[in-house]
Amino acid sequence: MIENPAQLSTNKLVSPALWRRVLVAGVSLLPAYFILLIINRYAYNMPYYDEWLTLVYFFNHPGTPIGQFWALYNEHRAFIPKVAQVILAQITNMNMIVQMIVDVGLVVAALGLLYLIYRKAATASVRYLILLPFSILLFSLIQYPMWVISVAFPTYIVECAFLASLATIVCIRPGWVALFVSAFFAYIGAMSLFPGNLIWLVIFAAMIGLGYRKKRFYIAWIIMAASILIPYAVDYLATLHDPIALNLADFVHFILAMIGSPVSFGETSAAGISVAVPMGIVGVLSVLALGIGISLFVENGLKKVTPWLAISAWVIGIAVFGALGRVVRFGALSGRQYRFMPYGVLFWVSVVALIAIALTEPRRTDRRIAPQFVVLRAVPVVIGILIGIGYLNGTLNATESFDFYNNTFGKGHDCLLTYETASDECLSSINPVPAIIRQEMPGLLARNVAFLPGSQFYLERAYIETPSKAYTQYQSRVIDGVPRRVLFMQPNSTATWLLQLPAAKHIVIQTGVMVDIPQKYEADPSDGALFLVEVNTTDGKSQKLLEKLVMPRKIGQGFEPVSVDVSAYAGKTITLSFGTRAGLDAKATYNYDWALWQPPSLDVET
């Protein structure tokens, strides 16, 4: 009896195999979700290091000639990231948290491209399971600093460009369409960061193992590569002045440390050698051994290993050129800096892919492994175990450094909020040239950028009455284990701002209040603090908008939200005062009156 075709279609849609794939895909996205939670709780909303010279400058100077976007910055022609960052900054008013979320989206895209490459090369029915180790590596906590500050955007763009270029020639039948689409992504990579230039070389080599046999394809690729690489070389050579003097040992140390860091985060040994170096050696030897073994003994092995050898070769190339540029200036140990880890992660993704191919793909029937070499079949398993141990050890070591990074970035953020009086040493944690921050901050404040919430309420613009300068300041304060930006105003303190309110329909000041508590009381606890908000107009009218006694918070309790409606003063110039007092009367004490305001902001509805 013939079944109903519609019923057959329904059965196929709900088949167990399909649900397994959907389940694995969903689980593989959980690490990305976890990183988003980390960004939400721990990320610092501020430009960092080179972004002050590129993004902040271009944002503050909208008439900047396009040539400055195209110009080299150090060894990078970061045209695409600069343009993308400025567009994103204009849309979000420079909310750097949004850029970090976009970073996660780019890594999810990289995960998808890696799976497409693996799916095309592998034939095993359970090949979709490779999503799990790929995701665990790509979203590793060892890269923690890259998730909570906004410096990784160009890196993830160039990674996606490379993987898209490689996926195109892997997944699309050899021909002009595949060649030109792959070249399009290579152009994007070359106009993103220096590693993008290496895409042209690596893809050229990969074409040989992927079935490109006609000379005209290679000639076309060389012409397209020359069109972007020659102008780059001319511009770059014009910036070189002094010859590079390298120490070979430091050079090799940098390369191996950069490769090994994503699975061996840690300090240096007593001999001054990074613990990442041994894992770097393991990684390079693993790629060579697995690449040769699969090519010889796995069915259609050369075509299956070519994409992963291309990825590992690209990362090694980045490490080589990175060593040329950084060893002399920053030393061999700079190879394990977190800024290089996204590249190193791709290297280990390629190793994991090679292990999976070696273990799951069918062997060649025309070539047998000699009995004495059967033990070599265990090599992929051993390598996988070493990677797992290194990854777990690295993750544990990395989690111990979270407080260090949180304190460092938090201190830098506090310095940014007090940039006019902050020391150069403090500001240098955000950018090595503090003068750049001092130069650009007035423009950012004038534009009320998102990463300076409540910049209308910047303390440098306020008239402050306080017993001590330390009693009224913005702080990064850890509350129940989470660092939060707060306006600390220990009684009796008042901060008054002169505000020109827009002629809007609805204007509300959003803030929150809290009396924080110590880990351990050494005197009587607070009996509460009084929070005040008062408005005065130029014609002498005064109104108290808030008078609230707040008791010390309980563990797990956050800010008590406060909304102050100032719509009645729309279009007028007012003075707005935030104040704190010890209590309602003279009997109130000052013990532990740690009065905190959530950074105020102005919500305007036109």
Side-chain angles (χ1 to χ4, degrees), residues 4 8 26 45 63 74 80 91 125 138 149 183 254 276 286 311 318 330 357-358 376 394 406 413 473 476 531 569 598:
N4 187 332
L8 287 174
N45 193 359
N74 292 333
I80 298 293
I91 294 172
S125 60
L138 289 171
I149 54 176
F254 180 100
S286 298
I311 292 174
I318 294 170
F330 303 105
I357 291 171
L376 294 179
N406 288 337
H413 193 260
Q473 59 178 308
S476 180
F531 289 78
Y569 304 96
Q598 199 166 22

Side-chain angles (χ1 to χ4, degrees), residues 398-582:
T399 55
E400 294 176 359
S401 69
F402 287 179
D403 287 342
F404 166 77
Y405 285 118
N406 288 337
N407 291 334
T408 300
F409 298 146
K411 179 183 176 183
H413 193 260
D414 289 345
C415 291
L416 188 61
L417 299 175
T418 57
Y419 76 99
E420 291 181 334
T421 56
S423 67
D424 284 355
E425 180 184 2
C426 191
L427 288 174
S428 64
S429 65
I430 304 172
N431 185 281
V433 186
I436 294 173
I437 295 176
R438 293 194 171 96
Q439 175 184 318
E440 299 297 338
M441 276 295 286
L444 296 172
L445 285 167
R447 302 184 73 166
N448 190 26
V449 293
F451 77 83
L452 292 173
S455 60
Q456 301 100 329
F457 302 99
Y458 203 69
L459 285 180
E460 298 301 323
R461 297 177 173 179
Y463 173 71
I464 298 173
E465 297 175 276
T466 182
S468 168
K469 184 178 178 180
Y471 279 23
T472 301
Q473 59 178 308
Y474 279 105
Q475 298 177 340
S476 180
R477 197 177 187 95
V478 177
I479 300 172
D480 290 334
V482 180
R484 297 184 182 277
R485 185 190 174 216
V486 301
L487 174 55
F488 173 73
M489 291 183 67
Q490 186 158 333
N492 292 330
S493 298
T494 304
T496 302
W497 290 270
L498 180 67
L499 300 177
Q500 174 61 57
L501 296 180
K505 180 179 177 181
H506 196 55
I507 308 173
V508 176
I509 296 168
Q510 302 287 3
T511 182
V513 293
M514 171 193 295
V515 176
D516 201 10
I517 56 175
Q519 290 186 344
K520 181 181 179 182
Y521 284 103
E522 296 180 357
D524 291 337
S526 169
D527 56 358
L530 189 67
F531 289 78
L532 305 167
V533 177
E534 185 174 331
V535 63
N536 290 274
T537 60
T538 53
D539 58 6
K541 293 182 180 178
S542 177
Q543 182 183 2
K544 194 169 285 185
L545 302 177
L546 176 72
E547 185 175 22
K548 186 177 185 63
L549 183 67
V550 178
M551 302 306 293
R553 73 179 183 91
K554 295 185 170 80
I555 298 296
Q557 181 181 351
F559 280 97
E560 182 178 341
V562 170
S563 296
V564 179
D565 193 330
V566 291
S567 304
Y569 304 96
K572 296 181 180 180
T573 299
I574 64 170
T575 58
L576 189 75
S577 299
F578 278 50
T580 58
R581 302 291 181 265

Side-chain angles (χ1 to χ4, degrees), residues 117 136 147 187 314 351 353 445 467 491 533:
I117 294 170
I136 291 170
W147 301 123
Y187 276 116
W314 186 62
V351 175
L445 285 167
V533 177

Side-chain angles (χ1 to χ4, degrees), residues 76-134:
H76 305 293
R77 193 186 299 285
F79 178 77
I80 298 293
K82 288 176 185 176
V83 172
Q85 281 182 301
V86 170
I87 292 173
L88 191 61
Q90 293 290 348
I91 294 172
T92 65
N93 197 26
M94 201 175 278
N95 187 335
M96 307 309 293
I97 298 295
V98 174
Q99 185 173 299
M100 297 177 210
I101 294 171
V102 172
D103 289 346
V104 175
L106 290 171
V107 180
V108 170
L111 174 63
L113 290 167
L114 287 164
Y115 176 66
L116 286 177
I117 294 170
Y118 186 84
R119 188 174 184 274
K120 184 67 176 179
T123 59
S125 60
V126 292
R127 58 184 182 271
Y128 57 86
L129 292 176
I130 201 68
L131 281 168
L132 300 177
F134 281 5

Side-chain angles (χ1 to χ4, degrees), residues 211-226:
Y212 282 79
R213 298 290 178 261
K214 297 178 180 178
K215 291 182 181 178
R216 58 177 179 265
F217 292 143
Y218 293 96
I219 294 172
W221 189 263
I222 290 171
I223 292 172
M224 290 186 288

Side-chain angles (χ1 to χ4, degrees), residues 320-340:
V320 168
F321 282 96
L324 288 172
R326 299 185 70 84
V327 166
V328 174
R329 294 168 58 195
F330 303 105
L333 293 177
S334 62
R336 60 182 178 85
Q337 287 182 342
Y338 52 81
R339 67 171 59 208
F340 296 118

Side-chain angles (χ1 to χ4, degrees), residues 53 82 110 151 158 197 212 234 258 352 412 419 470 475 480 503 556:
L53 291 169
K82 288 176 185 176
V151 297
V158 77
N197 295 321
Y212 282 79
V234 171
M258 177 181 154
V352 168
Y419 76 99
Q475 298 177 340
D480 290 334

